[in-house]
Amino acid sequence: MNKLDLLLIGAISSATAVAQSDGVTVPLQSGALRIQPIANGVMRVRFSKSGSFPAQRVPVLINLEQPRYTVRDRAGSLTVATNEIVAVLDKKSGALSFKTADGRKILSEVAGSRSLTPETLPGQQPAHAYRSRLAFQLTPTEGIYGLGQHQDGYMDYRGSSVALEQVNREIAIPFLVSSNGYGLLWNNPSHTDVNVASESTELPVASELDENAKPGGFTAKYYTGERFDSLATTTKEAKIDHDWDKVPPAGLPQDHYSARWTGSIQAPISGSYLFKTVSDDGVRLWVDGRTVIDNWSVHAPTVDQARVALAKGTRHSIRLEYFQSTGGAIMRFTCGIQKPSSTLEWRSEAADDIDYCVFYGPWIDDVMARYRHATGDAPLPPETALGYWQSKEHYATQDEWDSIAAEYRERRHPIDNIVQDWFYWDPWPWGSHKFDPKRYPDPAAGIAELHDKYHMQFMISVWGKFLPGSAEYPNANRDLMDAKGFLYPELDYYDAFNPDARKLYWQLMRNDIFKFGVDAWWLDASEPELDMQAFRKTETAAGLGSLVLNGWPLMHTVGVSSGQLETAPDKRVFILTRSAYAGQQRTGAACWSGDITATWKVYADQIPAGLNFGLSGIPYWTTDIGAFFVPGNLYPKGASDPGYRELFTRWFQFGAFCPIFRVHGTDFAKEMWRFGPETEKTLNKYDELRYRLMPYIYSQAWHVTSRGGTIMRALVMDFPKDTTAREVKDEFMFGPSLLICPVIKPGVTSRKVYLPAGTGWYDFWSGKSYAGGENITADAPIDKLPIFVRAGTILPLGPVIQYIGEKPEDPIELRIYPGANANFTLYEDAGNNNDYRKGLRSIIPISWNDQSKVVRVGQRQGSYPGMLQQRSFTVTRGESKISSLRYSGSPVSAVVSQP
């Protein structure tokens, strides 16, 4: 009890409010409420019908501190307070509110909104649980961000709703941040709907009109062939909710067919309308002739959404198209009316109790650091993981590894990583973890050559899926998993919630693949990619699937990460995965945005999707540069198509400033030289710039690990009071200093840029200075990405290198951008081992005094084997060299005069 100061005054007696060293439990008429400070700026709240509080089914919160706190019981309220955050329970309503230690409001529950409704969850053994609900009051001007990755083009989710369920291209993380400086974790891994200051109701069927303007549904036409080849039947449908996996539509074959729905909708009210599709395979939607959903590709069941503002009483044409290729066949379509409100509401379909945490900043960086610590700090990735990644679907032979690596080195394009995607096992079954010996005769020798001759790291795709073998091609891995009861019946995935299954999964990877010298893991389809309705009814080691639906990717990566660290404790873990859950940053995992399609809209939507993903607490993210699917009807000449070359170039420029820089895709190869000499030259320009920025980037990675920082930063993080900046979704900060402004429209040579207020800015290319808080038109010919540098910046740039570690990063150019004082911490270590955890690393503080015009390189702190003992820094302003500083670890300085 040494961390508790308990003051009980008034109506609640000490026998009623139970205060312990780790929290206070308050009996209520409807159950029991537990208020638990878990850090000075963090409160955890739980509500239980039974009065008991079970352990987390999915271990999200792993670092629970016991800060000193006080409890005060007054006539109308009970308060629980740490030095930075105070929880106040209103005795009359039972609602909680949160405020700062000096009394400023942070967040409050809506009185009467807290509920647990009994529910029987279907399964082999039905489970008794609850549906949970809780709402919070929002202030009129705050913005809401995070909640995972959702490719709907929205930055601020205020006035919309978000469904949290893992599927390809959608990542469900129940954590958000507010522009008001707090974060909120809804600690529930079941399907959850988050209404962010909105109420959603489905469009009435009477508002759906067919192509003859008659109400009651849309006109539906079904065709043979994937391109509407031959009309088979015409009907009218009031509900588009189809699963044709077993039985196709009447009159159509099992595979290769298409459908088109046409008509219009009559808007019953004014507001934002959410159009949502779930499809397997291609889908696209036009509203008033404008494309709002475009995912015209073969893919697993995927959610696509679009929001369109409509006025009451207006009529709007609808055209919805779908094609089915092979395999699954799902097509669902809904239109919901979003009604604005002032509340933030969480609804989960399955729960044991209500469990949430409030994290106070006041800066979003502070919120992120506290959230990351509570759910697990992010380790340092290998420095090579921050370099360039070349991937495709897929390198079909071991010889391709060699030829691609040799070509990159011959052409002198910087690169550190090459990736082997799936089907290296063919004709062996999925999950066998075998290389086909005809195509990959000696993987160990091939990977060793990549390491030793080409200085490249090797990543390989491994799935959590185990298919049955045959007499000729057995699957011993599946047989072993199945014999131990570790496979989900009929779903072919292993139970990642079972610790013994996770250990066996890693052992199979270790024995079959890691032994060859693999450096990194691509854990594909980690949603997992299976029938989520069937998974809901499946028993897992953590309970019925409904209760843990979104938590599978976390446990999957936990098993691989901990397994590798146990096997090779000195080797840094790096994982690329298609899905994530809260806390996954602690596993050394990055995410990519899934199997996306090459259109300008999809590309533009990647930017807010990635920014919100970063605001969900996971710092490393990437996309398939150029997209996974490239539609032949849009770009029939592939890498030779001028239109696709333009899109790829703009996407590559954006990708060079994502935390992970990676090209991938199917349909055709996308190595840099495939696009012709002019495009190749531009791509190399940004590849080389990425590597010159490595001292800056790797230092930011250390800030992620040591301080809970974020590299790819939505403008709300640095400019929360600038309401214009908060709404910008096509610009972002890369680290604290660089404003990146991707070009997201075809055929343009300039773009509008908003320069956030409160600071000055410099054009990275020309050095021209600008005031903040204004819009400018930035030059953007095809070889130029608009980049601006914040005034008061020290930007370190290393030499041009072909790979990490090719030569010492010496000299380092220190570009000074005046206008304010500046500090930069240059971080270095061995780059690939875990000695940094033991303190074996170097930190060099660098400062700029804007008044005295002095740049100072301070005392080096720490050391590591192989550290560069003596080096030089070249101080520059614009294109002018000002001074050279020889540095041996002791402070040196120079006066920087005007160039």
Side-chain angles (χ1 to χ4, degrees), residues 98-111:
F98 304 89
K99 60 183 181 180
T100 63
D102 59 2
R104 288 179 289 117
K105 180 181 176 181
I106 300 172
L107 180 68
S108 61
E109 295 180 350
V110 174

Side-chain angles (χ1 to χ4, degrees), residues 79-102:
T79 64
V80 180
T82 72
N83 290 340
E84 297 184 42
I85 190 171
V86 180
V88 182
L89 175 65
D90 184 289
K91 292 183 179 180
K92 183 177 181 180
S93 68
L96 274 169
S97 60
F98 304 89
K99 60 183 181 180
T100 63
D102 59 2

